[in-house]
Amino acid sequence: MKSKFSQFLDGEIDVMSFFPEPAEERDLPRETVKEIRKEENRIIDADPATKKVVAFERRSFRFIYYIVAVISCIVFIGIMLYGVSFLPRYGQENAWATEVSRRYIENGLEETGAINIVSGMILDYRAFDTLGESHVLFTALVLVTILLRRDKKNQQSEVEDYYTVRSDRYFRTYKDVILSKVGSFLVPCILVYGVYVLLNGQLSPGGGFSGGAVMGAAMIIFAASSGFDKVDKFFSVKLSSWVTFAALGFYSFAKGYVFFTGANGIHNGIPKGTPGAILSGGLILPLDVAVGLVVACTMFGFYSLFRRGNIGGSGK
């Protein structure tokens, strides 16, 4: 006969059954859950043998859990200390530790065409990592949309009152005169500054992530000061999806082409332009625009989903 731990390893029992609130009871009222717990405890206490077995199982699981957690922490700490032991001492020069940064500083302008070394590193040398970061934002937005989006299935359910409370009609922040007037003045300025930061990433501090964050903040302020009705006239779920898809698709295909040609020693034919000019840095400028659009859509998407349950329009 298998032990409880062996059954747990084989997937025959649910580990959540050892906790006081099973998954199927999470949506029940708290008082109902308390009554269920009391009834279960009463049944267990009525049979001393059952009570002893249940107590032993819970103690065993917690003991194994703590042992595994402690061993995992010790192993992780050992690996980190082993890696730290290879680092040079404070103040000691180490050629291999500065080789990559020296390459960025000495050859970055020639190889990327960007005056801003940080943008050249992020969107040229490490462009594949930035692509992954952009997809992480997109994936997060998709998952939050799945969890919070208000659709036909739950509009008429018992949670309708909850959505009504957090709807735009309930808050009416755009009815505040100060917020409305200040927002109408600041939003264009913030949006223009975000575009400026976005387009100058290869020339000065800025780029896709910072410029996209500024533009996303401008859209959030506009929604709070003018209401979602005005935002929905030009920004819908379909538009947000297409913008994000187009930006990530362009980034993937553009850098995929560069990776393929570079790996095979083929000239990609993309001009780097004149360093210092707005049209310079090769693909850095269009990639900055793509990343900025993804960041802006993600920021406003999160805000809209948490405020009213959909990104724009009717949620279609």
Side-chain angles (χ1 to χ4, degrees), residues 60-282:
S60 301
F61 177 79
R62 290 192 177 93
F63 176 77
I64 296 174
Y65 176 82
Y66 293 145
I67 292 297
V68 172
V70 170
I71 294 176
S72 301
C73 291
I74 293 175
V75 171
F76 178 75
I77 293 173
I79 294 174
M80 296 298 293
L81 292 177
Y82 180 73
V84 170
S85 66
F86 288 94
L87 294 176
R89 293 183 177 274
Y90 180 77
Q92 179 182 355
E93 184 179 359
N94 194 308
W96 63 265
T98 59
E99 180 181 357
V100 176
S101 59
R102 187 165 57 248
R103 172 66 178 270
Y104 293 159
I105 296 173
E106 295 176 355
N107 303 330
L109 179 61
E110 177 184 357
E111 294 178 348
T112 66
I115 295 179
N116 186 4
I117 300 176
V118 176
S119 292
M121 177 185 65
I122 293 176
L123 293 172
D124 195 291
Y125 292 115
R126 295 180 57 250
F128 190 76
D129 296 340
T130 306
L131 175 63
E133 295 168 2
S134 301
H135 278 82
V136 167
L137 292 175
F138 174 71
T139 304
L141 179 61
V142 170
L143 295 178
V144 173
T145 302
I146 294 173
L147 293 174
L148 299 182
R149 184 176 178 182
R150 185 182 183 186
D151 51 25
K152 295 180 180 179
K153 182 180 296 184
N154 62 24
Q155 277 184 347
Q156 302 299 328
S157 64
E158 61 183 359
V159 298
E160 185 176 6
D161 293 337
Y162 171 71
Y163 283 111
T164 302
V165 168
R166 70 173 186 175
S167 68
D168 193 45
R169 295 189 302 273
Y170 179 83
F171 288 98
R172 294 181 181 271
T173 55
Y174 57 92
K175 293 293 185 180
D176 187 283
V177 177
I178 297 178
L179 179 60
S180 177
K181 297 299 182 182
V182 174
S184 62
F185 172 77
L186 289 180
V187 167
C189 301
I190 297 174
L191 191 60
V192 170
Y193 179 70
V195 174
Y196 168 80
V197 173
L198 179 68
L199 297 180
N200 282 271
Q202 77 278 16
L203 306 177
S204 61
F209 287 102
S210 51
V214 175
M215 292 191 299
M219 294 179 63
I220 292 174
I221 296 175
F222 179 69
S225 61
S226 301
F228 280 107
D229 291 338
K230 292 186 178 180
V231 178
D232 294 341
K233 293 180 180 179
F234 66 90
F235 192 81
S236 61
V237 178
K238 183 178 293 187
L239 178 60
S240 174
S241 302
W242 275 109
V243 168
T244 306
F245 172 76
L248 292 177
F250 169 77
Y251 194 120
S252 302
F253 284 109
K255 291 311 297 185
Y257 166 74
V258 174
F259 293 153
F260 176 79
T261 55
N264 292 276
I266 304 174
H267 181 63
N268 55 40
I270 300 175
K272 292 183 173 60
T274 303
I278 185 66
L279 298 178
S280 62

Side-chain angles (χ1 to χ4, degrees), residues 51-64:
K51 182 178 180 180
K52 185 176 181 180
V53 171
V54 171
F56 176 76
E57 291 176 351
R58 292 180 177 177
R59 286 198 305 270
S60 301
F61 177 79
R62 290 192 177 93
F63 176 77
I64 296 174

